[in-house]
Amino acid sequence: MAEVRSAILGTGRAYPEGILTNADLERMVETSDEWITTRTGIKERHRASESEYTSLFAVEASRKAIERARIDPIDIGLLICATVSPDQILPSTGCLIQAELGAHKAAAFDLAAACSGFLYGLTMADKMIKTGQVRYALVIGAEVLSRYVDFTDRSTCILFGDGAGAAVMGPAEGDRGVLATRIYSDGRYAEQLYSPGGGTRIKPTSETLSQGLHYFKMKGNELFKIAVRSMADVSVEVLKEAGCRAEEVKLFIPHQANQRITDAVTSRLDVDPSIVYSNIAYHGNTSSASVPIALDECVEQGKVSEGDLVLLASFGGGVTWGGALIKW
Ligand code: COA
């Protein structure tokens, strides 16, 4: 079968109504709005209630993406839910989403690549569409990270937020579509950001729960440096692969981890700061949901027009990273 390019045909996003502000955090740990704002750029983040869970937001975001792509869910051949905070271990959150959407012909599964999950999923979907294995794919990034955040640890609890973003991908028209993708990982840095307990190595018991072993542990300083380097490098790589220059990019969406990381990547890439999208102030770091939420906001705000070059880059625990260049 002849190779076709893939394109993003529709996007959607959803998040809990609940909001955790810096002022709320000031009452929970020894921190200040001033510290959080200057060190991270975050002012508030969405937080799920006890009765809300990952697939709820994933389904809502997906329904919007499907509606905008004007496709029938039954025509989706591949459904990838990138998440590190699944509804449950078995079955995959992807299968639960599939059932809710009525996407009964899709191969559905979860993809665990932390904050790079959406770019990993986009890369997989791109290849499956290109090779004619599927016509339409739904790629979702969805997280309720607040379940794994230790709200007594001031170095992590200020960072993360809950939410979901989704994109329907399908065959591209004309010269539009995904021009280049690259994904990488380096497990030697696994302990820079990890949750030690709750799996098969340290099974969940009342003791491990009371020790908080299921919570995220992070070496923020180290991650900061790797994040900047990897996102900048992978961006250069996809631009080179597509034969494009940084000056031609009309919209750059980096993973929303920390405003200082975004600023450092922007200056390394030497792109105009005005084309770099940031919503970190209102979402915090939503891991795999960060890039698709930002993309959907950009589409809604008219920040991207047909033919524009859109650069996506991400970095996350694992460590993992990835980049994609898209002609919109
Ligand atoms: N409020 C007030 N003080 C805090 C604080 C908080 N929420 N969190 C940490 N501090 C303190 C530390 O205890 C430390 O105090 P000390 O000097 O007395 O030991 C001081 O602030 C500096 O801590 P440090 O970790 O060096 O700060 P930083 O400038 O590196 O900022 C992060 C911390 C976490 C914001 C930053 O490292 C970061 O964003 N890293 C990347 C993390 C990330 O994005 N992870 C996800 C990857 S996808």
Side-chain angles (χ1 to χ4, degrees):
M1 196 177 278
E3 198 174 272
V4 286
R5 251 189 213 160
S6 78
I8 291 179
L9 308 178
T11 58
R13 68 182 191 278
Y15 23 72
E17 275 181 22
I19 287 175
L20 188 69
T21 64
N22 289 352
D24 295 327
L25 285 162
E26 280 176 352
R27 289 187 285 273
M28 297 161 77
V29 287
E30 203 186 323
T31 191
S32 66
D33 173 47
E34 199 267 332
W35 193 95
I36 303 172
T37 308
T38 51
R39 298 289 178 122
T40 70
I42 302 168
K43 299 298 276 182
E44 58 187 40
R45 63 295 282 146
H46 291 265
R47 186 183 178 186
S49 67
E50 291 301 314
S51 61
E52 291 174 313
Y53 43 92
T54 303
S55 66
L56 273 186
F57 306 112
V59 167
E60 193 184 330
S62 299
R63 287 208 170 109
K64 290 178 188 161
I66 289 167
E67 196 186 312
R68 286 172 190 152
R70 296 178 198 194
I71 62 156
D72 189 324
I74 204 69
D75 294 325
I76 296 170
L78 176 71
L79 189 161
I80 301 176
C81 179
T83 186
V84 286
S85 48
D87 280 12
Q88 55 210 58
I89 293 292
L90 189 71
S92 70
T93 307
C95 285
L96 300 173
I97 298 165
Q98 168 180 39
E100 285 294 317
L101 295 176
H104 305 311
K105 294 214 169 132
F109 60 95
D110 287 2
L111 189 161
C115 308
S116 310
F118 180 77
L119 276 173
Y120 268 58
L122 182 145
T123 301
M124 300 293 134
D126 173 54
K127 307 309 168 215
M128 294 275 277
I129 292 166
K130 263 188 180 154
T131 53
Q133 287 261 305
V134 300
R135 186 166 173 79
Y136 297 112
L138 175 62
V139 184
I140 306 157
E143 308 284 1
V144 175
L145 295 175
S146 55
R147 297 284 201 275
Y148 297 97
V149 166
D150 180 354
F151 283 98
T152 64
D153 174 6
R154 67 178 183 174
S155 66
T156 53
C157 74
I158 56 155
L159 292 175
F160 299 103
D162 300 335
V168 168
M169 296 176 67
E173 279 171 16
D175 66 346
R176 296 176 55 201
V178 176
L179 304 183
T181 61
R182 279 281 178 275
I183 48 175
Y184 294 103
S185 55
D186 191 339
R188 287 173 298 179
Y189 297 104
E191 292 190 5
Q192 301 282 336
L193 175 57
Y194 75 128
S195 63
T200 56
R201 185 183 281 199
I202 302 176
K203 70 174 185 182
T205 62
S206 49
E207 202 180 14
T208 64
L209 283 175
S210 66
Q211 288 168 345
L213 294 185
H214 57 296
Y215 290 138
F216 290 157
K217 322 279 176 204
M218 188 180 75
K219 295 182 186 128
N221 260 320
E222 298 293 317
L223 272 180
F224 195 106
K225 288 176 235 159
I226 314 173
V228 172
R229 196 176 55 235
S230 341
M231 283 203 281
D233 288 354
V234 81
S235 298
V236 169
E237 225 179 304
V238 289
L239 282 164
K240 193 172 167 201
E241 153 120 15
C244 299
R245 287 172 290 116
E247 308 90 87
E248 294 175 277
V249 174
K250 287 282 180 347
L251 175 67
F252 175 36
I253 301 179
H255 168 51
Q256 309 285 307
N258 181 322
Q259 188 59 42
R260 283 158 55 221
I261 293 180
T262 294
D263 293 344
V265 175
T266 302
S267 99
R268 262 198 188 222
L269 279 178
D270 203 16
V271 290
D272 181 349
S274 69
I275 64 144
V276 184
Y277 189 68
S278 172
N279 62 16
I280 185 106
Y282 303 103
H283 290 292
N285 179 347
T286 56
S287 191
S288 66
S290 123
V291 170
I293 286 177
L295 186 59
D296 187 50
E297 288 180 351
C298 289
V299 171
E300 201 172 85
Q301 293 166 23
K303 285 187 184 293
V304 55
S305 312
E306 203 173 310
D308 282 354
L309 277 187
V310 179
L311 175 64
L312 310 176
S314 199
F315 173 83
V319 292
T320 56
W321 65 101
L325 189 69
I326 301 169
K327 187 163 186 178
W328 201 257

